[in-house]
Amino acid sequence: MNFIVATIELRSSISSTINAYGLDYCGANAVVPAGNSNGEVQLRLLCYDRAGAKLSAFTDWKEGTRALVTGNIVFSDDSKQPLDLIITTIEPNVPQDMYCNQVVLGNAFFGSDEIRERKNDQLAVKIGTTLDNSDVTTWLYLETHESRKKKLSDRIRKGRAICVQGYLREYRKDDSDSPYRAIVASDFTTRQEQRKSGRSPQTSGS
């Protein structure tokens, strides 16, 4: 699963009930704010449609204001679509200039063995994440500072599972709805790989 805690700005409510991931949700369109609209992370918020304090806070949320939200990020099989954020908790009583954007991407793997050098001493590696109970893969980039190049070089192997902590960022050109999407990593971890045995498997027979 992919966890997020972020200040989210509500743009508009979705009037109809959304059936997704086996449950019914109330929905809304929202963003993780940025300095300009091209850099906002676009989200479809999903709040479980059951009476209670969380649903009341969600439905009373005013358009154009921010709330502190925790939940699970779900990547779509269509990169043009906003990310789904299934809400776990919501706190609307926060300063409207507050900013938070922290993600733990737990379901990911290296999609390439290539480390690309970017501007401002940044490195980028293609990574993938699969949808729940599916073989459909969504692609994005892991970006990190060049000070982690040795760790990245030591760990990178196409297909190897990785857990990433950082923040989400997107960029859309004016003439395109398909964003450049990345997680800017403050750190990442991998499971230690098992050494392959050089011995051939034994066989038995008469």
Side-chain angles (χ1 to χ4, degrees):
M1 299 180 70
N2 305 311
F3 176 79
I4 182 171
V5 52
T7 43
I8 307 297
E9 187 171 304
L10 183 65
R11 290 298 166 84
S12 63
S13 298
I14 298 172
S15 58
S16 57
T17 299
I18 299 170
N19 183 268
Y21 315 110
L23 295 170
D24 288 335
Y25 295 95
C26 290
N29 301 306
V31 298
V32 178
N36 59 71
S37 60
N38 289 350
E40 293 174 336
V41 179
Q42 297 184 5
L43 301 166
R44 182 178 73 162
L45 304 181
L46 300 174
C47 184
Y48 183 44
D49 193 4
R50 184 176 65 183
K54 180 170 69 173
L55 184 61
S56 295
F58 183 76
T59 55
D60 291 343
W61 192 358
K62 304 299 183 184
E63 292 182 12
T65 64
R66 298 183 187 186
L68 183 65
V69 173
T70 68
N72 182 34
I73 285 287
V74 183
F75 291 81
S76 169
D77 57 351
D78 183 352
S79 63
K80 292 185 179 181
Q81 297 301 313
L83 300 174
D84 279 347
L85 195 169
I86 302 173
I87 294 175
T88 304
T89 65
I90 177 171
E91 175 49 69
N93 298 315
V94 298
Q96 291 306 294
D97 59 352
M98 179 180 176
Y99 180 81
C100 177
N101 176 5
Q102 287 295 304
V103 173
V104 176
L105 192 62
N107 180 27
F109 58 90
F110 286 116
S112 171
D113 295 324
E114 179 185 5
I115 300 174
R116 302 182 182 183
E117 295 186 357
R118 296 279 175 84
K119 297 179 180 178
N120 301 319
D121 300 324
Q122 294 292 303
L123 306 173
V125 174
K126 188 176 182 180
I127 62 173
T129 181
T130 53
L131 305 184
D132 183 34
N133 197 32
S134 170
D135 58 2
V136 176
T137 301
T138 301
W139 301 101
L140 66 158
Y141 281 94
L142 180 158
E143 297 180 347
T144 193
H145 190 261
E146 66 172 6
S147 60
R148 293 184 178 82
K149 185 172 185 178
K150 183 180 186 307
K151 179 178 180 179
L152 195 57
S153 300
D154 290 343
R155 306 289 183 88
I156 190 170
R157 180 186 60 76
K158 186 176 181 179
R160 187 178 188 181
I162 181 174
C163 180
V164 188
Q165 178 181 343
Y167 66 89
L168 285 175
R169 82 175 187 93
E170 291 183 348
Y171 181 77
R172 288 173 170 79
K173 294 182 179 179
D174 292 335
D175 58 352
S176 174
D177 291 328
S178 184
Y180 170 85
R181 183 173 288 154
I183 180 168
V184 182
S186 56
D187 206 354
F188 63 90
T189 61
T190 55
R191 176 180 287 184
Q192 185 175 17
E193 293 186 300
Q194 298 294 321
R195 294 180 181 178
K196 295 181 179 180
S197 173
R199 294 189 296 178
S200 301
Q202 295 182 348
T203 59
S204 61
S206 57

